[in-house]
């Protein structure tokens, strides 16, 4: 119940943006699976069985896109979000500080035309990799699918 209250509060915070209009803003709440940095086997490009469940509130607008990850009750603000395309964006990249002085970068690509699913690699300074997949909350399940890799990897 606590994670839903946090997600609702985050959604309200992102919706109330005085300078944004309906045409230049998309706010979406996603649930996701996160295979932490260093736990993704070499060459794997999908959610693993050891993945952790996360929640994400993502606000994509023409100026100042914002995102926040909730991992184990901890809120992690995304920094330097760069998007490609118009909402729902084709892909987006961001950085997040998972703990003091430990930064992770991620690039997630749109896997469904309606923007209901994004996935992609995350990595740290030592080039260790992790995987993140986000799915819109409505109708989503907790179970990762077997092969959720990039379209150019035989899907």
């Amino acid at each position: 119940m606590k994670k839903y209250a946090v997600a609702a509060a985050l959604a309200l915070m992102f919706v109330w943006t005085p300078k944004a209009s309906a045409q230049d803003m998309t706010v979406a709440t996603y649930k996701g699976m996160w295979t932490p940095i260093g736990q993704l086997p070499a060459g794997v490009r999908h959610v693993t069985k050891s993945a952790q469940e996360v929640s994400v509130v993502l606000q994509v607008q023409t100026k100042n896109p914002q995102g926040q990850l909730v991992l184990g009750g901890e809120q992690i603000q995304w920094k330097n979000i760069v998007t490609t395309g118009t909402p729902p964006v084709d892909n987006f990249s961001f950085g997040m500080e998972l703990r003091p002085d430990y930064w992770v970068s991620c690039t997630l690509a749109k896997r469904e035309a309606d923007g209901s699913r994004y996935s992609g690699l995350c990595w740290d300074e030592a080039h260790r990799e992790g995987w993140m997949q986000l799915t819109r909350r409505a109708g989503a399940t907790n179970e990762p699918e077997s092969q959720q890799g990039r379209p150019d990897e035989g899907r």
Side-chain angles (χ1 to χ4, degrees), residues 69-112:
L69 177 83
V70 179
L71 175 61
E74 182 182 356
Q75 299 174 13
I76 302 165
Q77 188 71 36
W78 289 354
K79 305 288 185 187
N80 304 319
I81 299 176
V82 177
T83 63
T84 303
T86 58
V89 297
D90 295 328
N91 60 62
F92 55 94
S93 298
F94 58 92
M96 57 183 173
E97 189 175 23
L98 293 181
R99 58 183 182 266
D101 295 325
Y102 180 66
W103 285 87
V104 170
S105 300
C106 300
T107 297
L108 306 183
K110 181 169 57 176
R111 304 302 180 187
E112 305 293 337

Side-chain angles (χ1 to χ4, degrees), residues 39-87:
Q39 294 183 17
L40 188 68
V44 172
R45 297 295 183 259
H46 58 82
V47 175
T48 64
K49 290 181 181 181
S50 64
Q52 303 170 13
E53 188 173 323
V54 295
S55 296
V56 171
V57 176
L58 178 64
Q59 174 186 356
V60 177
Q61 58 186 17
T62 306
K63 297 179 183 177
N64 193 29
Q66 299 176 40
Q68 187 159 6
L69 177 83
V70 179
L71 175 61
E74 182 182 356
Q75 299 174 13
I76 302 165
Q77 188 71 36
W78 289 354
K79 305 288 185 187
N80 304 319
I81 299 176
V82 177
T83 63
T84 303
T86 58

